[in-house]
Every structure is written in structure tokens, then in C-alpha cells.
Amino acid sequence: MSRFARAAARLRRIGVTPGAPFGGATATYLTVNGYRPAHLGAAFAAGIIVAAGLAAACLTATDRWIATSEDRVIVRGVHAAGIDVASLSSADLAARLSYTPDEGRALVDATEGGRRRLSVDLADWLLTLPPDRRRDAARWLMSTATVIRNSPEKTAFVEATAKLDDPTAKTVIDAGADIGALLRRLAELSANDRALVIRAGWPIRPADDDRARLWAIVNTPDFPVGDLVPALSELARVHPERLVAVRKYIADGSGLPACRPVACTPMPCVSPWRDGYLCPPGHLKTVGPPLCVPMPRPTGRSQGQ
Amino acid sequence: MSKHKFKSLIITLEGKGGVGKSMISQIAVETARGPDGLAQVRVIDSDVNNSSMAQIYPDAAFAAIRDANDAAEAVGTLLLAMRDIASGVVDSAIWDTAAGTEDIIRAKVLDQIVLRARKENVNIVVLRPITTSVLVQQSAIDFAAAARERGIAVVFVRNSGQGRADKYFADWHSHAERLALMPPAVEVVLPDLGCWVADEASALRLSLADIAQGRFDHLGPQARTFAETKFTPGIQLFVADWLQMRCQEFGDAIAQAIANITHAKTKAQSK
């Protein structure tokens, strides 16, 4: 942790909130180039994971969980997906997001003009890929750059993608992860928050079969990821220590003693946001239309810890 | 916070005044000092009329350049700094140049330090402030084109403070020559710090790092009271967050610019 981060943490521990040298506007995050004010990167990453986890749903009774309790929502989500908590690099996080096949095609023969717009490392990386996979990826990267309006952030942004190492990039391409959606969302953040997202490192590692199921679910066009992000962002911004508690709870079951899992009972499955409605045994709730899908098979980790 | 070790002479250079050179130099110093602030950094101030860096960093070396006759002394200071970088006495050196001296520096100083940099295997990185001035922008582009030929890494620092909204940089964003220079040049944005924080810090001879860490003990009683009143814990926290992010972004940008120019030099040599 840097000396400035330590100074900031010390002040936050004693209850200080960031000042406002901008005439009353919140100064926690600056608006740069018209990008809207920030959400913490970790909250964004958490939102994606939570949404994915909730889509795979859980066995615990909703009447035990208060919908407004973001902590329990997060915990329930990641456990529901059978996700094992482990250290995960920021690059791995990107690699585990889903993608739609239309967006995630392979990489390009970078044109001379295109190569100038990309960092040297990324251009070279493109050229290491099979020729039949390069074209679409470079086109997609350039279209992503266009999304952020050819601003200087584009350069830093494309350079950030260049930091994905080869194995991770291969995982991304082979498994069809949705870098497109992640990067478009990153493009909406300020430069400050984008750096936070890159360094988020939210500690999850889904099992392979669960990952495949999650990807299938979150790839539905109307998957309402966006609804979760603001609520979780607010949590992360106002009470970052709560995210810490959530992580600890996921890791060893401590820290959230009020959360007691209850087994599902056979009931019709409707929206998971409404208390009192449960899925039938062996089924999971999904976000969006009231559907139930079969659970993934157990991964060896107890549900609802 | 930047984790990079640069082994570089980092120069903030722009002929026009009031573009944020000293602010940018200050961020470069804190970036080069590393997360713990323990890396040894040589600060060199050339701003005779406004030696803000020397006021903030008392150990700063001073290399005045008023005219071409001063250039020799300045070159000596820079060569010494590069020797110390090469031998590990310091990790990096930050040179805050003065307004109105760019022409002299490019004519009398740059080539000499480039030669020494090649010999000592030290990087040269130039931070070019970018404002809404077309003249400043074109000057930066012209410099970057020349710098590429000399193996000098360039980072454009787009200063978005003091009301410089993104819309005023529309031409800069679409400038074909700029796009053609990136890479190897890199760009980073310097967001607004607030209209009075930098002014008061400068008046009190406080660095942004001092404010971020609440270090006012070295001030006189009256100044200290004033500083503690103005730079409340909330402002300290804001500056700490702001400086943390700037160091990270500047560090990444400088490292990338060095990597880019190194790659370009290697490619040119292999042809």
C-alpha cells in the first residue's frame, strides 16, 4: 500500500469523508471528459459477479434474506454459483466474464493505421495470434476505442487491455469471455475508477462447469446487470469496510453472523427479489423473467456457509 | 501507486508559462519516489523567477537557464544527475524547466544529454503539458516527432484543470499528427485538483504529498494553524486519493512511454 493510500486509509478509519474543493460538489471522484461520476471498480466487478451468481441462484430461503441487505445479496450470489473463493488477478476477473459470440471473435491483421492506435505491445500480441482470428479482434478493439470517443483515455484504455498476458488473453478468446461488455463499461468510468477496476482483484474463481452455466445465463440480452451496479457501488463507496466483511465471510464463514442459510422448500419460483418465494429443490432462481433452471452439480464446497 | 523503477531523467518541458509544469513535476517526483517514498530522486529546478520546486523540495539542485550562456552549467548538472542514475546513487531525476527556455534547451542542452543517456543507458522522458492552446499543442507534437528520432520517450499530460473541459480539446483529440505519434508517445490526463488547493499549497510551500499526509509540522506556528484550517482532514483525504491515482497513472504512462521508445529503437536497430 502506498504512503498516500495509507494516509487515506488512516483518515477513513477515523470517519473522515473526502472534502470538496469544488464549490460543494462531491469531490470523491472527479468527472473527467464528461464521464459520469464514479463507482468503485470493485463494486462494478462485484456487481457482475453477483448478478451472475444470482442468476445461478441459491438454495437459501429468501425470507431469511432482506433484499436491501447488500452484504447478504453478495454472499448469497457467490455461494449460489458454487464459487470457490480464491485469489484472482484483475486479468483473471476479465477472463471469467461472459461474452456474446458476435463480439468476441478472434484477433486481426492490424492495419498500419490501426497499429498506430494501439500500444506497441498490443499490436505485437495481435500478430502472434492465428491470422484467421486477428481480424475480428482488432476490429472489435477499434470499435471499443470508438466507444470512448477517441479520447486520450482510449490510448490508456487500449494499453490496459495490452496488460492481459498471453495465457489470460487466450483464455478470454477461447472461452468466449465478454471483454467487450467489460471494456465498454470501463469506458464509461473515469480514468480514476478505471484504474480501480483494473486492479479490483475481487477474489473469486468459479468452477468450470459453473462458469459455463453462468455464461449461458448472463448472455441473455435482457440480463439486468446494470440495476445492481448502482446499489452495490453505493455500498462500496459509503461502506467499503462492508465489502471487506463480505469477502471475509465468503472466505471463512465469519463476519456476518446474522446470515443463517435455510434450505429451499418446494414452491413456485418467481422473481428472486420478492421475499417469500423459493425455488423447487434442485432448481435455481434467475434474474429477469421468472424462470428456474437446474442447479450445477456440487463442487465440494458446502452451500450457504 | 506506481511500482515502477524508471532509471530516468524526467523533464517537464513547455515554453509557455502557466501550463502546470511545476504541478506535473511534483507528481513526477512523488511517482518516482515509489509507494513508500523511499526511492532516491534528484530534483532539479531551473525556474529562476518562480523556483517552486526548490521551495517544496529543499534538497533540489538548481540549474538556472536564463540564456545560452547558462546552458553549460545546466548541462553539467544534468550530466551529473545521469551519472548518479547510472551508478544507482539515485533512481531518477526530475527536471522542472522554466517557461521561455524551451528553445535554448532544445538548441543547447538536449543533444548533449541524449548522448550521455545513450552512453549511461539512462532513459530520457519528457512530460509535455497540453492545454487548450493550439500553439502549445503543436509545439508538443513537433517536439514528440523530433524526440522519436532521438530515442526520447514522450508523455503528453493533458491538463484538464482550470475549466479546461474535454470539449475544448476536440481538435487535439482528432489531430492526425498526434495520433501518428502515439505510440510511441503516450498520453495521460491531469484532472482538476480544485481551484485553491494548489494555490494555497504553493503559498505555504507545501507539497501535495505534505497535504495528503497532513505534514505541517515544519511550518511556522501561524502558517501551520492556517494550513490545518484550510487543509481539513477531508481535504487531506481528497488530496491523498487524488495523488495516489495520479502517481499510478503517471507511473504507468512513463513506464509505457519508455517501453514504447525502447521497442522502437530496438526495431530500428534490427533493420
Coordinates of all heavy atoms in Angstrom, one line a residue, chain A residues 20-93:
Chain A
A20 N -14.4 18.8 -0.4 CA -15.0 19.2 -1.6 C -14.4 20.5 -2.0 O -15.0 21.6 -1.7 CB -16.5 19.3 -1.6
P21 N -13.3 20.5 -2.7 CA -12.7 21.8 -3.1 C -13.3 22.3 -4.4 O -12.7 23.1 -5.1 CB -11.2 21.5 -3.3 CG -11.2 20.1 -3.7 CD -12.4 19.4 -3.0
F22 N -14.5 21.9 -4.7 CA -15.1 22.2 -6.0 C -16.4 23.0 -5.8 O -17.4 22.8 -6.5 CB -15.4 21.0 -6.9 CG -14.1 20.4 -7.3 CD1 -13.6 19.3 -6.6 CD2 -13.3 20.8 -8.3 CE1 -12.5 18.6 -6.9 CE2 -12.2 20.2 -8.6 CZ -11.7 19.1 -8.0
G23 N -16.5 23.7 -4.7 CA -17.7 24.5 -4.5 C -18.9 23.7 -4.2 O -20.0 24.0 -4.7
G24 N -18.8 22.7 -3.4 CA -20.0 22.0 -2.9 C -20.2 20.7 -3.6 O -20.8 19.8 -3.1
A25 N -19.6 20.5 -4.8 CA -19.8 19.2 -5.5 C -19.0 18.1 -4.7 O -18.0 18.4 -4.2 CB -19.4 19.3 -6.9
T26 N -19.5 16.9 -4.8 CA -18.7 15.8 -4.1 C -17.4 15.7 -4.9 O -17.3 15.7 -6.1 CB -19.4 14.5 -4.2 OG1 -19.8 14.2 -5.5 CG2 -20.7 14.6 -3.3
A27 N -16.4 15.6 -4.1 CA -15.0 15.5 -4.7 C -14.4 14.2 -4.7 O -13.3 14.0 -5.0 CB -14.1 16.5 -4.0
T28 N -15.2 13.2 -4.3 CA -14.6 11.9 -4.1 C -14.1 11.4 -5.4 O -13.0 10.9 -5.5 CB -15.7 10.9 -3.7 OG1 -16.3 11.4 -2.5 CG2 -15.1 9.5 -3.4
Y29 N -14.9 11.6 -6.5 CA -14.4 11.2 -7.8 C -14.7 12.4 -8.7 O -15.7 13.0 -8.7 CB -15.1 10.0 -8.3 CG -15.0 8.8 -7.4 CD1 -15.9 8.5 -6.4 CD2 -13.8 8.1 -7.4 CE1 -15.8 7.5 -5.5 CE2 -13.7 7.1 -6.5 CZ -14.6 6.8 -5.6 OH -14.5 5.8 -4.7
L30 N -13.7 12.7 -9.5 CA -13.8 13.8 -10.4 C -14.4 13.4 -11.7 O -14.2 12.2 -12.2 CB -12.5 14.4 -10.7 CG -11.7 14.8 -9.5 CD1 -10.3 15.4 -9.8 CD2 -12.5 15.9 -8.7
T31 N -15.2 14.2 -12.4 CA -15.7 13.9 -13.7 C -14.7 14.4 -14.7 O -14.3 15.5 -14.7 CB -17.0 14.6 -13.9 OG1 -17.9 14.2 -12.9 CG2 -17.6 14.3 -15.3
V32 N -14.2 13.5 -15.5 CA -13.2 13.8 -16.5 C -13.8 13.6 -17.8 O -14.3 12.5 -18.1 CB -11.9 13.0 -16.2 CG1 -10.9 13.3 -17.3 CG2 -11.3 13.3 -14.9
N33 N -13.7 14.5 -18.7 CA -14.1 14.4 -20.0 C -15.6 13.9 -20.2 O -15.9 13.2 -21.1 CB -13.2 13.3 -20.7 CG -11.8 13.7 -20.8 OD1 -11.5 14.9 -20.8 ND2 -10.9 12.8 -20.8
G34 N -16.4 14.4 -19.2 CA -17.8 14.1 -19.3 C -18.2 12.7 -18.9 O -19.4 12.4 -18.9
Y35 N -17.3 11.9 -18.5 CA -17.7 10.6 -17.9 C -18.4 10.8 -16.6 O -18.0 11.7 -15.8 CB -16.5 9.7 -17.7 CG -15.8 9.3 -19.0 CD1 -14.4 9.4 -19.1 CD2 -16.5 8.9 -20.1 CE1 -13.8 9.0 -20.3 CE2 -15.9 8.5 -21.3 CZ -14.6 8.6 -21.4 OH -14.0 8.2 -22.5
R36 N -19.4 10.0 -16.4 CA -20.2 10.3 -15.2 C -19.4 9.9 -13.9 O -18.5 9.2 -14.0 CB -21.5 9.5 -15.3 CG -21.3 8.0 -15.5 CD -22.7 7.4 -15.7 NE -22.5 6.0 -16.2 CZ -22.3 5.0 -15.4 NH1 -22.2 5.2 -14.1 NH2 -22.2 3.8 -15.8
P37 N -19.8 10.5 -12.8 CA -19.1 10.2 -11.6 C -19.0 8.8 -11.3 O -19.8 8.0 -11.7 CB -19.9 11.0 -10.5 CG -20.6 12.1 -11.3 CD -20.9 11.5 -12.7
A38 N -18.1 8.5 -10.4 CA -17.5 7.2 -10.3 C -18.3 6.2 -9.5 O -19.1 6.5 -8.6 CB -16.2 7.3 -9.6
H39 N -18.1 5.0 -9.8 CA -18.4 3.9 -8.9 C -17.1 3.2 -8.7 O -16.2 3.1 -9.5 CB -19.3 2.8 -9.6 CG -20.6 3.5 -10.1 ND1 -21.5 4.1 -9.4 CD2 -21.0 3.6 -11.4 CE1 -22.4 4.6 -10.1 NE2 -22.2 4.3 -11.4
L40 N -16.9 2.6 -7.5 CA -15.7 1.9 -7.3 C -15.6 0.7 -8.2 O -16.6 0.0 -8.4 CB -15.6 1.4 -5.8 CG -15.0 2.4 -4.8 CD1 -15.0 1.8 -3.4 CD2 -13.6 2.8 -5.2
G41 N -14.4 0.5 -8.7 CA -14.2 -0.6 -9.6 C -14.6 -1.9 -9.0 O -15.2 -2.8 -9.6
A42 N -14.3 -2.1 -7.7 CA -14.6 -3.3 -7.0 C -16.1 -3.6 -7.0 O -16.6 -4.7 -7.1 CB -14.1 -3.4 -5.6
A43 N -16.9 -2.5 -6.9 CA -18.3 -2.6 -6.8 C -18.8 -3.1 -8.2 O -19.7 -3.9 -8.3 CB -18.9 -1.3 -6.4
F44 N -18.2 -2.5 -9.2 CA -18.6 -2.9 -10.6 C -18.3 -4.4 -10.8 O -19.2 -5.2 -11.2 CB -17.9 -2.1 -11.6 CG -17.9 -2.7 -13.0 CD1 -19.1 -2.8 -13.7 CD2 -16.8 -3.2 -13.6 CE1 -19.2 -3.3 -14.9 CE2 -16.9 -3.8 -14.8 CZ -18.0 -3.8 -15.5
A45 N -17.1 -4.8 -10.4 CA -16.7 -6.2 -10.6 C -17.7 -7.1 -9.7 O -18.1 -8.1 -10.2 CB -15.3 -6.4 -10.2
A46 N -17.9 -6.6 -8.5 CA -18.8 -7.4 -7.6 C -20.2 -7.5 -8.2 O -20.8 -8.5 -8.1 CB -18.9 -6.7 -6.3
G47 N -20.6 -6.4 -8.9 CA -21.9 -6.4 -9.4 C -22.1 -7.4 -10.5 O -23.1 -8.2 -10.6
I48 N -21.1 -7.5 -11.4 CA -21.1 -8.6 -12.4 C -21.1 -9.9 -11.8 O -21.9 -10.8 -12.2 CB -19.8 -8.4 -13.3 CG1 -19.8 -7.1 -14.1 CG2 -19.8 -9.6 -14.2 CD1 -20.9 -7.0 -15.1
I49 N -20.3 -10.2 -10.8 CA -20.2 -11.5 -10.2 C -21.5 -11.8 -9.5 O -22.0 -12.9 -9.6 CB -19.0 -11.6 -9.3 CG1 -17.7 -11.3 -10.0 CG2 -19.0 -13.0 -8.6 CD1 -17.5 -12.2 -11.2
V50 N -22.0 -10.8 -8.8 CA -23.2 -11.0 -8.0 C -24.4 -11.3 -9.0 O -25.2 -12.3 -8.7 CB -23.6 -9.8 -7.1 CG1 -25.0 -9.9 -6.6 CG2 -22.6 -9.7 -6.0
A51 N -24.5 -10.6 -10.0 CA -25.5 -10.8 -11.0 C -25.4 -12.2 -11.5 O -26.4 -12.9 -11.7 CB -25.4 -9.8 -12.1
A52 N -24.2 -12.6 -11.9 CA -24.0 -13.9 -12.4 C -24.4 -15.0 -11.4 O -25.0 -16.0 -11.7 CB -22.6 -14.1 -12.8
G53 N -24.0 -14.7 -10.1 CA -24.3 -15.7 -9.1 C -25.8 -15.8 -8.8 O -26.3 -16.9 -8.6
L54 N -26.4 -14.6 -8.8 CA -27.9 -14.7 -8.6 C -28.6 -15.4 -9.7 O -29.6 -16.0 -9.5 CB -28.4 -13.2 -8.4 CG -28.0 -12.6 -7.1 CD1 -28.4 -11.1 -7.1 CD2 -28.7 -13.3 -5.9
A55 N -28.1 -15.2 -10.8 CA -28.7 -15.9 -12.0 C -28.7 -17.4 -11.8 O -29.6 -18.1 -12.1 CB -28.1 -15.5 -13.3
A56 N -27.6 -17.9 -11.2 CA -27.5 -19.3 -10.9 C -28.2 -19.6 -9.6 O -28.5 -20.7 -9.4 CB -26.0 -19.7 -10.8
A57 N -28.5 -18.6 -8.8 CA -29.4 -18.6 -7.7 C -28.9 -19.5 -6.6 O -27.8 -20.0 -6.6 CB -30.8 -18.9 -8.1
C58 N -29.7 -19.6 -5.5 CA -29.2 -20.3 -4.3 C -30.3 -21.1 -3.7 O -31.5 -21.1 -4.1 CB -28.7 -19.2 -3.4 SG -29.9 -18.5 -2.3
L59 N -29.8 -21.8 -2.7 CA -30.8 -22.7 -2.0 C -31.4 -22.1 -0.8 O -32.3 -22.6 -0.2 CB -30.0 -24.0 -1.6 CG -29.4 -24.8 -2.7 CD1 -28.6 -26.0 -2.1 CD2 -30.4 -25.3 -3.7
T60 N -30.8 -20.9 -0.3 CA -31.3 -20.4 0.9 C -32.6 -19.7 0.8 O -32.9 -19.1 -0.2 CB -30.2 -19.4 1.5 OG1 -30.0 -18.4 0.5 CG2 -28.9 -20.2 1.8
A61 N -33.4 -19.7 1.9 CA -34.7 -19.2 1.8 C -34.7 -17.6 1.7 O -33.9 -17.0 2.4 CB -35.5 -19.5 3.1
T62 N -35.4 -17.1 0.8 CA -35.4 -15.6 0.6 C -36.0 -14.9 1.8 O -35.7 -13.8 2.1 CB -36.2 -15.2 -0.6 OG1 -37.5 -15.8 -0.6 CG2 -35.5 -15.7 -1.9
D63 N -36.9 -15.6 2.6 CA -37.5 -14.9 3.7 C -36.4 -14.7 4.8 O -36.7 -13.9 5.7 CB -38.7 -15.6 4.2 CG -38.4 -17.0 4.7 OD1 -37.2 -17.4 4.6 OD2 -39.3 -17.7 5.2
R64 N -35.3 -15.3 4.7 CA -34.2 -15.0 5.7 C -33.3 -13.9 5.3 O -32.5 -13.5 6.0 CB -33.4 -16.3 5.9 CG -34.1 -17.4 6.6 CD -34.4 -17.1 8.0 NE -35.1 -18.2 8.7 CZ -35.3 -18.2 10.0 NH1 -34.9 -17.3 10.7 NH2 -36.0 -19.2 10.5
W65 N -33.4 -13.5 4.0 CA -32.5 -12.6 3.5 C -33.3 -11.3 3.1 O -34.3 -11.3 2.4 CB -31.8 -13.1 2.2 CG -31.1 -14.4 2.5 CD1 -31.6 -15.6 2.5 CD2 -29.7 -14.5 2.7 NE1 -30.6 -16.5 2.8 CE2 -29.4 -15.9 2.9 CE3 -28.6 -13.6 2.8 CZ2 -28.2 -16.3 3.2 CZ3 -27.4 -14.1 3.0 CH2 -27.1 -15.4 3.2
I66 N -32.8 -10.2 3.6 CA -33.5 -8.9 3.3 C -33.0 -8.4 2.0 O -31.8 -8.3 1.8 CB -33.3 -7.9 4.4 CG1 -33.8 -8.5 5.7 CG2 -33.9 -6.6 4.1 CD1 -33.4 -7.7 6.9
A67 N -33.9 -8.1 1.1 CA -33.4 -7.7 -0.3 C -32.5 -6.4 -0.2 O -31.7 -6.3 -1.1 CB -34.6 -7.4 -1.2
T68 N -32.8 -5.6 0.7 CA -32.0 -4.4 0.8 C -30.6 -4.6 1.5 O -29.8 -3.7 1.6 CB -32.7 -3.3 1.6 OG1 -33.0 -3.8 2.9 CG2 -34.0 -2.9 0.9
S69 N -30.4 -5.8 2.0 CA -29.1 -6.1 2.7 C -28.1 -6.5 1.6 O -28.0 -7.6 1.2 CB -29.3 -7.2 3.7 OG -28.0 -7.5 4.2
E70 N -27.4 -5.5 1.1 CA -26.5 -5.8 0.0 C -25.4 -6.9 0.4 O -25.0 -7.6 -0.5 CB -25.7 -4.5 -0.4 CG -26.6 -3.4 -1.0 CD -27.2 -2.5 0.1 OE1 -27.0 -2.8 1.3 OE2 -27.7 -1.5 -0.3
D71 N -25.0 -6.8 1.6 CA -24.0 -7.8 2.0 C -24.5 -9.2 1.8 O -23.8 -10.1 1.2 CB -23.6 -7.7 3.5 CG -23.2 -6.3 3.8 OD1 -22.8 -5.5 2.9 OD2 -23.2 -5.9 5.0
R72 N -25.7 -9.5 2.2 CA -26.2 -10.8 2.1 C -26.4 -11.2 0.6 O -26.3 -12.3 0.2 CB -27.4 -11.0 2.9 CG -27.2 -10.8 4.4 CD -28.4 -11.2 5.2 NE -28.1 -11.1 6.7 CZ -28.3 -10.0 7.4 NH1 -28.8 -8.9 6.8 NH2 -28.0 -9.9 8.6
V73 N -26.8 -10.2 -0.1 CA -27.1 -10.4 -1.5 C -25.8 -10.9 -2.2 O -25.7 -11.8 -2.9 CB -27.6 -9.1 -2.2 CG1 -27.5 -9.2 -3.7 CG2 -29.0 -8.9 -1.8
I74 N -24.7 -10.2 -1.8 CA -23.4 -10.5 -2.4 C -23.0 -11.9 -2.0 O -22.7 -12.8 -2.9 CB -22.3 -9.5 -2.0 CG1 -22.6 -8.1 -2.6 CG2 -21.0 -10.0 -2.4 CD1 -21.8 -7.0 -2.0
V75 N -23.1 -12.2 -0.8 CA -22.7 -13.5 -0.3 C -23.5 -14.6 -0.9 O -23.1 -15.6 -1.4 CB -22.8 -13.6 1.3 CG1 -22.5 -15.0 1.7 CG2 -21.8 -12.7 1.9
R76 N -24.8 -14.4 -0.9 CA -25.7 -15.4 -1.4 C -25.4 -15.7 -2.9 O -25.4 -16.8 -3.4 CB -27.2 -14.9 -1.3 CG -28.2 -15.9 -1.8 CD -29.6 -15.5 -1.6 NE -29.9 -14.3 -2.3 CZ -31.2 -13.9 -2.3 NH1 -32.1 -14.4 -1.6 NH2 -31.4 -12.8 -3.0
G77 N -25.1 -14.6 -3.6 CA -24.9 -14.7 -5.0 C -23.6 -15.6 -5.3 O -23.7 -16.5 -6.1
V78 N -22.6 -15.3 -4.6 CA -21.3 -16.0 -5.0 C -21.4 -17.5 -4.5 O -21.0 -18.4 -5.2 CB -20.1 -15.3 -4.4 CG1 -19.8 -14.0 -5.0 CG2 -20.1 -15.2 -2.9
H79 N -22.1 -17.7 -3.4 CA -22.2 -19.1 -2.9 C -23.2 -19.8 -3.8 O -23.0 -21.0 -4.1 CB -22.7 -19.1 -1.5 CG -21.6 -18.9 -0.5 ND1 -20.6 -19.8 -0.4 CD2 -21.4 -17.9 0.4 CE1 -19.8 -19.3 0.6 NE2 -20.2 -18.2 1.0
A80 N -24.2 -19.1 -4.2 CA -25.2 -19.8 -5.1 C -24.6 -20.3 -6.3 O -25.0 -21.4 -6.8 CB -26.3 -18.8 -5.4
A81 N -23.6 -19.6 -6.8 CA -23.0 -20.1 -8.0 C -22.0 -21.2 -7.8 O -21.3 -21.6 -8.7 CB -22.3 -18.9 -8.7
G82 N -21.8 -21.6 -6.5 CA -20.8 -22.6 -6.2 C -19.4 -22.1 -6.4 O -18.5 -22.8 -6.8
I83 N -19.2 -20.8 -6.2 CA -18.0 -20.2 -6.5 C -17.0 -20.4 -5.3 O -17.3 -20.1 -4.2 CB -18.1 -18.7 -6.8 CG1 -18.9 -18.5 -8.1 CG2 -16.8 -18.0 -6.9 CD1 -19.3 -17.1 -8.3
D84 N -15.9 -20.9 -5.6 CA -14.8 -21.0 -4.6 C -14.1 -19.7 -4.5 O -13.7 -19.1 -5.5 CB -13.8 -22.1 -4.9 CG -14.5 -23.5 -4.8 OD1 -15.3 -23.6 -3.9 OD2 -14.1 -24.4 -5.6
V85 N -13.9 -19.3 -3.3 CA -13.1 -18.0 -3.1 C -11.7 -18.3 -3.2 O -11.1 -19.1 -2.5 CB -13.5 -17.4 -1.7 CG1 -12.6 -16.2 -1.5 CG2 -14.9 -17.0 -1.7
A86 N -11.0 -17.6 -4.0 CA -9.5 -17.8 -4.1 C -9.0 -16.5 -4.7 O -9.7 -15.6 -5.2 CB -9.2 -18.9 -5.0
S87 N -7.8 -16.3 -4.5 CA -7.2 -15.0 -5.1 C -7.3 -15.0 -6.6 O -7.1 -16.1 -7.3 CB -5.7 -15.0 -4.7 OG -5.6 -14.9 -3.3
L88 N -7.7 -13.9 -7.1 CA -7.9 -13.8 -8.5 C -7.3 -12.5 -9.0 O -7.6 -11.5 -8.5 CB -9.4 -13.9 -8.8 CG -9.7 -14.0 -10.3 CD1 -9.4 -15.4 -10.8 CD2 -11.2 -13.7 -10.5
S89 N -6.5 -12.5 -10.0 CA -5.9 -11.3 -10.5 C -7.0 -10.5 -11.3 O -8.0 -11.1 -11.7 CB -4.7 -11.6 -11.4 OG -5.2 -12.2 -12.6
S90 N -6.7 -9.3 -11.5 CA -7.7 -8.5 -12.2 C -7.8 -9.0 -13.7 O -8.9 -9.0 -14.2 CB -7.2 -7.0 -12.3 OG -7.1 -6.5 -11.0
A91 N -6.8 -9.5 -14.2 CA -6.9 -10.0 -15.6 C -7.7 -11.3 -15.6 O -8.5 -11.5 -16.5 CB -5.5 -10.4 -16.1
D92 N -7.6 -12.1 -14.6 CA -8.4 -13.3 -14.5 C -9.9 -12.9 -14.4 O -10.8 -13.6 -14.9 CB -8.0 -14.1 -13.2 CG -6.8 -14.9 -13.5 OD1 -6.4 -15.0 -14.7 OD2 -6.2 -15.5 -12.5
L93 N -10.1 -11.9 -13.6 CA -11.5 -11.4 -13.5 C -12.1 -11.1 -14.9 O -13.2 -11.6 -15.2 CB -11.6 -10.1 -12.6 CG -12.9 -9.5 -12.4 CD1 -13.8 -10.4 -11.7 CD2 -12.8 -8.2 -11.7

